[in-house]
Amino acid sequence: MSSMAPVLIAGSWRQASDATGHFNAENPTTGAAIAGDFPVSGAADLEAALSAAVDVAAELAATPPERIAAFLEAYADGIDAAADELIELAHAETALPREPRLAKAELPRTSGQLRQAAAAVRGYRWTQPVIDTAAGLRSHLAPLHKPVLVFGPNNFPYAFNAIAGSDFASAIAARNPVIAKAHPSHPHTSRRLAEIAHAALLATGLPPAAVQMLYHFDNEPGLRLCGDSRLGAIGFTGSRAGGLAIKAAADRAGIPVYVELSSVNPVFMLPGILAEQGEALAGEFFASCTMGSGQFCTNPGVVTVPTGADGDAFVEAARQRFAAASPSVVFSRGVLDHLASNVDVLRAAGADCLAGGARGNGPGYDYQPTLLSVDAATFLRNPAALQTEAFGPTSLLVRAADIDTMVALAAAFEGNLTGTLYRAADGRDDAAWQRVAAALRPRVGRLIANRMPTGVAVSPAMNHGGPYPSTGHPGFTAVGMPAAIRRFAALHSYDHVPDPLLPAELRDRNPGGVPRLVDGHWSDADLETA
Amino acid sequence: MSSMAPVLIAGSWRQASDATGHFNAENPTTGAAIAGDFPVSGAADLEAALSAAVDVAAELAATPPERIAAFLEAYADGIDAAADELIELAHAETALPREPRLAKAELPRTSGQLRQAAAAVRGYRWTQPVIDTAAGLRSHLAPLHKPVLVFGPNNFPYAFNAIAGSDFASAIAARNPVIAKAHPSHPHTSRRLAEIAHAALLATGLPPAAVQMLYHFDNEPGLRLCGDSRLGAIGFTGSRAGGLAIKAAADRAGIPVYVELSSVNPVFMLPGILAEQGEALAGEFFASCTMGSGQFCTNPGVVTVPTGADGDAFVEAARQRFAAASPSVVFSRGVLDHLASNVDVLRAAGADCLAGGARGNGPGYDYQPTLLSVDAATFLRNPAALQTEAFGPTSLLVRAADIDTMVALAAAFEGNLTGTLYRAADGRDDAAWQRVAAALRPRVGRLIANRMPTGVAVSPAMNHGGPYPSTGHPGFTAVGMPAAIRRFAALHSYDHVPDPLLPAELRDRNPGGVPRLVDGHWSDADLETA
């Protein structure tokens, strides 16, 4: 057991004290094990991590924001400096391409996101300070003073990693300790990230137990942890089944829980756009659906296409691309098995397979890019089954004869992260847009025009969130600073508290130029009474 | 059955279709029934209300904010115009004094709150518009496009009434239909308010089913309604048991639920303040604890007082006031029974009764103002039992020998709405303040200096909320515009959506001067590209 990788608990790398098992990473391309054993942590280590985090929560909450920002930036710098090594690790564990995905897209996005969090920390805007001088009241968003437990998904080894992604950056930015639960499909990458985080922590003087990481744990102790009232909040990105179990445990204990679950991201091709540029759109759709082997939360999973000649031409052009493509390697046997069985669910519900629909012949975890199709009437008879997310390089086309049918389809979707409408540039689709968008808008977090949903910019105006069951609360985004930070905060009001006893950013004097809503007006100046 | 009061469903006053029972209001002073039967609504009427609300949700979401504001103001005007009548109704049902409570405090607060909501609707700030021109993204908070179910408590017949209070005003301000579940202890008041609301609705042209009201329903159909995925959100103010049952049902269905539950509102008298003004403080404490028969969410339920002469003098001065006071009339037999049994819980856990502790001798629901006391060691041995909320004119003193003990007590509290510290004006308590406040701050929503917690200003900087179990989420307030509105909203992002297809307040041109965060800066101007 001494060759088992250490876990990061209470500020040091140490052997698991009560591992209930162990696992290794796999090369998805071959299915072969990658050298290196990782522990499945037991209840004693979960308790050790939780109590260490509880012990530093007050200290971290009182840490000057400048120091938090310095940590986030040092960590970002460390990630950039270790890019070559991180890219090799993640490529080996995930089969995601080094270029452009890992090197040009995800890794810079991850360090950039940490730097955006640092800027948000320095800017204080996420704290939403409000001063009502007449009432003697001042309020802002403050740290939870409790640890945040973050579960990372399989599909972004850096940008959503529990030890480096948006939930991590947000929770730390709000000055809460993080207990990261890495995803077992990329433990080497997670370990290296945690080493860089730990070094940055030591270099910038944050409490060492502010950042801890476990690779894996079993459901039972994990769900017990999720329901422990010493936790301040939970962030989760992953499967619906896992997320709902975690949400239920947290809800019972009154712990705010932010789950980002499955989404089929409905896309509607309005009639005019296909006449304008059907062939080019087929290529755009195919690229979005198969990029990263389709393993995106925002994969275009259900695409409504008009019946008739233009729609047929689009479908045929897309079909040819799917049919000609080689099988895609997915992350793990689990992903492959789910994909295969969920494609079967779609077929059983009446979808025809136009291309793909079977596993590949490689030694690893590969599946053919798969295009399915169903008519609108069948979809509307069984919308639940036909919204099954087949996570992978898969999409279901729905053929709709008219705009009324498109409206009915839009209204049949459950909550999704995104909804997309493609419209003609000349405006001929705009009446249809109004009707379909009106039905779709309340069902999605982000409404997109004329581009595939897979891109998720780290922007203050992003919503990577949406109505249940895409997430657990329609008011929050998991991506985008500073909005994502607010998930991990408590509203604190001060009632007639004398100036010297207020938090610095709520005092009369405002030397840092914190943007504050003072008696109904934005101001970064001192209070006039100061 | 034809004499039964009608319910307000789908825009008209109609007889309950499947009442499962009926009830009447009571005069708490005498226990006598007040004429007028009210139905306990059955499942068919709950379904009728829900489906009527669902049917108007899209129309209400698309209603111009100006019209929503006009409704809120017309309703406020109607309440003010009917003040004399409303005061008689509420006085008869609740025994709350006409003056100052009902006429001078609660009724103007209620109409004022509706007007503040109207102003917030016109100001758009609650929608938090964000524009990121480089990323092509725009976001804001938008209506849920689903109904909000509001449960009102017994203790504020106007200001928290499900048909007139903060949850009502907030949900409507966010352009969501409201299904109000009035509290059965004041049905006449609720009926009159609903009549005024309905008239205002008709006068201002809102969809009539945007505001509906039922007086009461049984747990089973009620909890089924709370778990119906057609609901957009739930607001609840009331008992812990009721709120947690509602929260559990809503959580299982992924419905955002805002519960404002019990709170004992810890108060700490630091040593210096008692030397400065112990006698006056005793009067302030007694008044706060017994006002409204102590039936406040923010009643000072646990007050820590130093041991020693100054503390003893304060306790004796308070005791004399409690002992000399007449029994207080509480709202109902249920409140009285709970109060009596929870005082027994406190006694069984080791609290001594210094004054009161028994029912009154009147014909109605009266209880003696009750002051209990316990030493700190006993409290710390059994903090759960000794934090039992005895809702009524009751408070528990805890005697602490030193500041270390006060810090330990502060750290033993579960989540509360408020926490209060009284400090000497000359600064001698400030070192103690820092230590006790540090322990108390993360456990309360509002930290108060030198005033009793019972006052809850309707202010943008208020937090009438707090960590679990005082509420279900520490990030939201139930009182204060515009923050309270945000509870009933969904985050909507627009990704490269052409300007004419955006909601008006996110377009380049900004003729209404909506305050927007544009590329990191606040602006109420047009976009420069416009």
Side-chain angles (χ1 to χ4, degrees):
Chain A
M1 298 290 277
S2 67
S3 71
M4 195 113 77
V7 291
L8 178 57
I9 292 183
S12 62
W13 287 99
R14 63 196 210 192
Q15 287 297 309
S17 75
D18 66 337
T20 60
H22 60 103
F23 69 100
N24 50 262
E26 289 178 333
N27 179 335
T29 310
T30 63
I34 297 173
D37 258 0
F38 293 88
V40 179
S41 291
D45 277 352
L46 271 61
E47 172 60 32
L50 177 57
S51 75
V54 166
D55 286 348
V56 298
E59 180 185 350
L60 193 64
T63 297
E66 175 54 41
R67 192 118 56 86
I68 302 281
F71 161 70
L72 290 164
E73 289 172 343
Y75 187 17
D77 292 346
I79 288 173
D80 287 346
D84 290 348
E85 188 186 353
L86 287 165
I87 289 161
E88 291 310 313
L89 290 171
H91 174 68
E93 292 183 309
T94 66
L96 290 171
R98 296 181 181 89
E99 296 268 355
R101 165 67 185 263
L102 293 173
K104 294 292 192 296
E106 192 180 338
L107 192 137
R109 174 200 180 87
T110 306
S111 54
Q113 189 165 251
L114 291 163
R115 290 190 185 98
Q116 282 199 31
V121 166
R122 288 204 178 89
Y124 279 98
R125 180 163 282 129
W126 76 270
T127 66
Q128 305 189 320
V130 181
I131 297 178
D132 179 345
T133 57
L137 287 161
R138 304 180 184 208
S139 71
H140 68 167
L141 291 172
L144 293 167
H145 289 252
K146 286 183 170 186
V148 175
L149 176 63
V150 176
F151 290 84
N154 57 9
N155 61 340
F156 282 85
Y158 316 135
F160 286 84
N161 196 305
I163 194 72
S166 184
D167 284 356
F168 172 87
S170 304
I172 290 280
R175 306 202 296 278
N176 303 296
V178 169
I179 302 168
K181 193 276 190 185
H183 196 280
S185 69
H186 44 250
H188 291 277
T189 306
S190 301
R191 178 183 180 176
R192 188 72 194 98
L193 286 167
E195 288 170 352
I196 300 167
H198 188 224
L201 208 67
L202 297 177
T204 51
L206 257 52
V211 172
Q212 303 179 93
M213 189 183 71
L214 305 170
Y215 301 102
H216 202 16
F217 40 68
D218 293 325
N219 281 352
E220 194 273 326
L223 291 175
R224 202 159 358 106
L225 177 61
C226 292
D228 192 307
S229 63
R230 290 172 291 171
L231 270 188
I234 298 174
F236 170 91
T237 307
S239 73
R240 188 181 295 192
L244 292 182
I246 286 166
K247 179 177 182 305
D251 283 341
R252 281 192 294 271
I255 297 168
V257 53
Y258 304 97
V259 290
E260 199 241 277
L261 306 171
S262 56
S263 181
V264 297
N265 305 296
V267 175
F268 289 82
M269 297 291 176
L270 299 177
I273 187 75
L274 292 181
E276 259 188 23
Q277 44 168 308
E279 176 74 20
L281 284 186
E284 190 175 327
F285 162 53
F286 171 76
S288 172
C289 183
T290 54
M291 176 172 55
S293 299
Q295 298 165 114
F296 279 81
C297 324
T298 52
N299 195 52
V302 179
V303 180
T304 297
V305 179
T307 52
D310 291 337
D312 290 347
F314 170 85
V315 170
E316 175 55 20
R319 188 199 64 75
Q320 287 179 17
R321 283 172 171 78
F322 277 81
S326 304
S328 296
V329 176
V330 296
F331 293 129
S332 65
R333 175 160 303 283
V335 169
L336 180 63
D337 290 346
H338 264 98
L339 172 54
S341 81
N342 285 346
V343 168
D344 289 345
V345 168
L346 295 171
R347 282 170 144 161
D352 296 320
C353 195
L354 304 185
R359 298 176 191 231
N361 296 318
Y365 310 129
D366 54 351
Y367 198 84
Q368 296 171 347
T370 297
L371 187 64
L372 301 127
S373 182
V374 74
D375 62 277
T378 303
F379 187 95
L380 291 169
R381 271 197 304 274
N382 195 0
L386 287 160
Q387 287 178 72
T388 300
E389 184 186 24
F391 188 74
T394 320
S395 192
L396 172 67
L397 305 175
V398 185
R399 303 301 301 273
D402 51 33
I403 302 304
D404 285 349
T405 305
M406 285 201 180
V407 171
L409 288 166
F413 281 99
E414 55 182 17
N416 273 275
L417 297 173
T418 71
T420 302
L421 289 86
Y422 276 83
R423 64 183 266 282
D426 65 7
R428 78 184 108 159
D429 284 328
D430 285 3
W433 170 293
Q434 298 283 11
R435 294 186 58 213
V436 181
L440 194 59
R441 176 68 275 188
R443 292 176 169 79
V444 304
R446 175 166 53 115
L447 188 74
I448 308 167
N450 287 47
R451 50 176 60 204
M452 284 289 153
T454 24
V456 181
V458 183
S459 158
M462 173 51 66
N463 182 13
H464 191 61
Y468 187 84
S470 66
T471 78
H473 193 299
F476 294 100
T477 177
V479 171
M481 303 296 161
I485 303 175
R486 292 199 285 263
R487 297 175 296 160
F488 300 113
L491 180 60
H492 281 182
S493 177
Y494 292 85
D495 192 338
H496 289 86
V497 172
D499 197 71
L501 300 175
L502 287 168
E505 61 267 36
L506 290 178
R507 290 181 196 148
D508 291 351
R509 295 249 309 128
N510 185 15
V514 174
R516 312 190 293 192
L517 193 63
V518 179
D519 295 336
H521 300 280
W522 287 103
S523 166
D524 56 9
D526 293 344
L527 274 203
E528 281 173 24
T529 58
Chain B
M1 299 288 278
S2 68
S3 71
M4 195 114 77
V7 291
L8 179 58
I9 292 183
S12 63
W13 287 100
R14 63 197 213 191
Q15 287 297 310
S17 74
D18 66 337
T20 60
H22 60 103
F23 70 100
N24 51 261
E26 291 178 334
N27 179 335
T29 309
T30 63
I34 297 173
D37 259 359
F38 293 87
V40 179
S41 292
D45 277 352
L46 271 60
E47 173 59 32
L50 177 58
S51 75
V54 166
D55 286 348
V56 298
E59 180 185 349
L60 192 64
T63 296
E66 175 54 41
R67 192 117 57 85
I68 302 281
F71 161 71
L72 290 164
E73 288 171 343
Y75 187 16
D77 292 345
I79 289 173
D80 287 346
D84 290 347
E85 188 185 354
L86 286 166
I87 289 162
E88 291 311 312
L89 290 171
H91 174 68
E93 293 183 307
T94 66
L96 290 171
R98 295 181 183 86
E99 297 266 354
R101 164 65 184 263
L102 292 173
K104 293 293 193 294
E106 192 179 337
L107 192 134
R109 173 200 180 88
T110 305
S111 54
Q113 189 164 251
L114 290 163
R115 291 189 185 99
Q116 283 199 31
V121 166
R122 288 205 178 87
Y124 280 97
R125 181 164 281 129
W126 75 270
T127 67
Q128 305 191 319
V130 181
I131 297 177
D132 179 345
T133 57
L137 288 161
R138 303 181 185 209
S139 71
H140 68 167
L141 291 172
L144 293 168
H145 290 252
K146 287 184 169 185
V148 175
L149 176 63
V150 177
F151 291 84
N154 58 8
N155 62 340
F156 282 85
Y158 316 134
F160 287 85
N161 196 305
I163 194 73
S166 184
D167 285 355
F168 173 86
S170 304
I172 291 280
R175 307 202 295 280
N176 304 296
V178 169
I179 303 167
K181 193 276 188 186
H183 196 277
S185 69
H186 44 251
H188 291 277
T189 307
S190 300
R191 178 183 181 175
R192 189 72 195 99
L193 286 168
E195 288 170 350
I196 300 167
H198 189 222
L201 209 64
L202 297 177
T204 51
L206 256 50
V211 172
Q212 303 179 93
M213 190 182 72
L214 305 170
Y215 301 102
H216 201 15
F217 39 70
D218 293 324
N219 282 352
E220 194 272 329
L223 291 176
R224 203 160 356 107
L225 177 61
C226 292
D228 192 306
S229 62
R230 290 172 291 172
L231 271 188
I234 298 174
F236 169 91
T237 308
S239 74
R240 189 181 295 194
L244 292 183
I246 286 166
K247 180 179 182 304
D251 283 341
R252 279 192 294 271
I255 297 168
V257 53
Y258 304 97
V259 291
E260 201 239 278
L261 307 171
S262 55
S263 180
V264 296
N265 305 296
V267 176
F268 289 82
M269 298 291 179
L270 299 177
I273 188 76
L274 291 182
E276 257 186 27
Q277 44 170 307
E279 176 74 18
L281 284 186
E284 191 175 326
F285 162 55
F286 170 76
S288 172
C289 183
T290 55
M291 176 169 56
S293 301
Q295 298 164 115
F296 280 81
C297 324
T298 50
N299 196 52
V302 179
V303 181
T304 297
V305 179
T307 53
D310 291 337
D312 289 347
F314 169 86
V315 171
E316 175 56 20
R319 188 199 65 75
Q320 287 178 16
R321 284 171 170 79
F322 277 80
S326 304
S328 295
V329 176
V330 296
F331 293 128
S332 66
R333 174 159 303 284
V335 170
L336 180 63
D337 290 347
H338 264 98
L339 172 54
S341 80
N342 285 345
V343 167
D344 289 346
V345 168
L346 294 170
R347 283 170 145 161
D352 296 322
C353 195
L354 304 185
R359 297 175 192 233
N361 297 319
Y365 309 130
D366 56 351
Y367 198 85
Q368 297 171 348
T370 298
L371 187 64
L372 300 127
S373 181
V374 73
D375 63 276
T378 302
F379 187 95
L380 291 170
R381 270 198 304 276
N382 195 1
L386 288 160
Q387 287 177 72
T388 300
E389 184 186 23
F391 188 75
T394 321
S395 193
L396 172 67
L397 305 176
V398 184
R399 304 301 300 273
D402 51 34
I403 303 304
D404 284 349
T405 305
M406 286 200 178
V407 172
L409 288 165
F413 281 100
E414 55 182 16
N416 273 275
L417 297 173
T418 71
T420 302
L421 289 87
Y422 276 83
R423 63 183 266 284
D426 64 8
R428 79 184 107 157
D429 285 328
D430 285 2
W433 169 291
Q434 298 284 11
R435 295 187 57 213
V436 180
L440 195 59
R441 176 67 276 189
R443 293 176 169 78
V444 304
R446 176 166 53 115
L447 188 74
I448 307 167
N450 286 45
R451 49 178 59 203
M452 284 289 154
T454 24
V456 181
V458 183
S459 158
M462 173 51 66
N463 182 14
H464 191 60
Y468 186 86
S470 65
T471 80
H473 194 298
F476 294 100
T477 176
V479 171
M481 302 297 162
I485 302 175
R486 292 200 285 263
R487 296 175 298 159
F488 301 113
L491 180 60
H492 281 182
S493 177
Y494 292 85
D495 191 339
H496 289 86
V497 172
D499 197 70
L501 301 175
L502 287 168
E505 60 268 37
L506 291 178
R507 290 182 198 146
D508 290 351
R509 295 248 310 128
N510 185 15
V514 175
R516 314 191 290 191
L517 192 62
V518 179
D519 297 335
H521 300 280
W522 286 102
S523 167
D524 55 11
D526 294 342
L527 273 203
E528 282 172 24
T529 59

